[in-house]
Amino acid sequence: MFGSLFKRNKEWQPPEVLGLTVGRGITFDPIALRLLPEDSLIERPDSTLVITAQGHCDLGEQSHMHRFYPDDDRFLIQFQGGDGQSDERVDEIMLWYFYDVQYPSGDQEWNRLKQAIRQNSYTLEGENGNHRYERAWFDTSTGPEDPMTYWEEVCDDRSGSGRRRIFQTAMLYARGLKDGRDEMLLINMEEPDNAERSIAFMIGFPLERHNFSV
């Protein structure tokens, strides 16, 4: 999976991945969006989102993650696999919805959450009750496990300007929905260079290539 710390790639510029990059629009199949389970916590995006920033993580072992940030900051599109340059392989496509973003008041609150995401389950508070998610990473382990850590490098345009780095500490969870599919919960503790720390709680579903067009 993710390594502990990845070296910064100073030469990286936002590539096209399946035709998607900064300044391009991604249009979702409305039928696919309507098929999201009713008991899911994810909101449905508009049919088209325009990408305004793009992130990249070198995950090691010839695996890469590309993130596309649209003009609607409730959502994130993520491709995993290949490098977006010579290797165009895409193993996974995810649509993420930012369910909640918190800004810890200090180290005590920050470290309390870091300890909580080491456990084999996490309970997310909701308006209509609590929702329990089971750990998807290290799912064969019953004890605490350290979260994944990685650097993401984000650019605001195709030339690579507005470049910034974010160190992320993350754990992935899942819960079963009524239709038998899993809803994913990614808890991402973000530490940007020279910026405020935040904790993102993201609800995600996998997408297929035929679910969208660029």
Side-chain angles (χ1 to χ4, degrees), residues 117-209:
I117 65 175
R118 297 182 69 242
Q119 310 310 311
N120 57 15
S121 67
Y122 188 87
T123 300
L124 187 66
E125 297 182 359
E127 295 181 357
N128 300 316
N130 296 334
H131 307 277
R132 180 185 173 93
Y133 292 79
E134 303 298 328
R135 193 168 60 202
W137 289 337
F138 313 109
D139 58 330
T140 59
S141 170
T142 59
E145 294 287 348
D146 290 335
M148 306 295 187
T149 58
Y150 54 94
W151 283 101
E152 180 181 13
E153 195 162 20
V154 182
C155 297
D156 291 330
D157 62 35
R158 294 293 305 279
S159 70
S161 69
R163 186 185 303 272
R164 54 200 180 275
R165 292 201 307 160
I166 307 171
F167 184 69
Q168 305 193 29
T169 302
M171 187 61 81
L172 183 68
Y173 299 87
R175 72 179 179 113
L177 298 178
K178 292 179 180 179
D179 69 350
R181 287 187 287 178
D182 284 339
E183 175 181 81
M184 311 309 294
L185 168 65
L186 180 65
I187 301 178
N188 227 39
M189 305 179 70
E190 303 182 358
E191 300 176 81
D193 284 346
N194 303 316
E196 186 178 12
R197 295 184 300 187
S198 64
I199 303 168
F201 298 80
M202 295 187 284
I203 305 297
F205 267 99
L207 293 174
E208 301 293 338
R209 295 192 188 193

Side-chain angles (χ1 to χ4, degrees), residues 4-141:
S4 296
L5 189 64
F6 298 109
K7 296 179 181 179
R8 184 179 184 181
N9 181 0
K10 296 181 180 180
E11 303 303 321
W12 178 80
Q13 290 183 323
E16 292 185 18
V17 184
L18 299 184
L20 191 61
T21 188
V22 179
R24 302 270 175 85
I26 181 170
T27 300
F28 299 98
D29 180 353
I31 296 178
L33 297 181
R34 286 199 298 270
L35 291 177
L36 288 172
E38 293 183 0
D39 54 336
S40 171
L41 300 181
I42 195 171
E43 286 193 10
R44 279 69 169 167
D46 293 334
S47 59
T48 300
L49 299 173
V50 177
I51 303 306
T52 60
Q54 184 171 337
H56 169 256
C57 305
D58 184 343
L59 305 179
E61 299 182 355
Q62 299 181 337
S63 182
H64 293 254
M65 182 167 69
H66 298 269
R67 286 176 163 176
F68 301 90
Y69 296 87
D71 50 356
D72 186 335
D73 59 10
R74 298 174 299 165
F75 298 98
L76 169 69
I77 300 101
Q78 178 177 295
F79 295 167
Q80 190 164 331
D83 59 12
Q85 301 287 352
S86 58
D87 184 355
E88 294 289 338
R89 185 189 80 255
V90 174
D91 300 322
E92 179 184 81
I93 306 169
M94 294 289 295
L95 171 65
W96 293 102
Y97 162 64
F98 286 87
Y99 181 79
D100 188 22
V101 178
Q102 300 177 6
Y103 298 89
S105 58
D107 289 342
Q108 183 175 1
E109 185 178 351
W110 179 266
N111 292 331
R112 183 168 57 247
L113 194 281
K114 185 179 287 187
Q115 181 64 26
I117 65 175
R118 297 182 69 242
Q119 310 310 311
N120 57 15
S121 67
Y122 188 87
T123 300
L124 187 66
E125 297 182 359
E127 295 181 357
N128 300 316
N130 296 334
H131 307 277
R132 180 185 173 93
Y133 292 79
E134 303 298 328
R135 193 168 60 202
W137 289 337
F138 313 109
D139 58 330
T140 59
S141 170

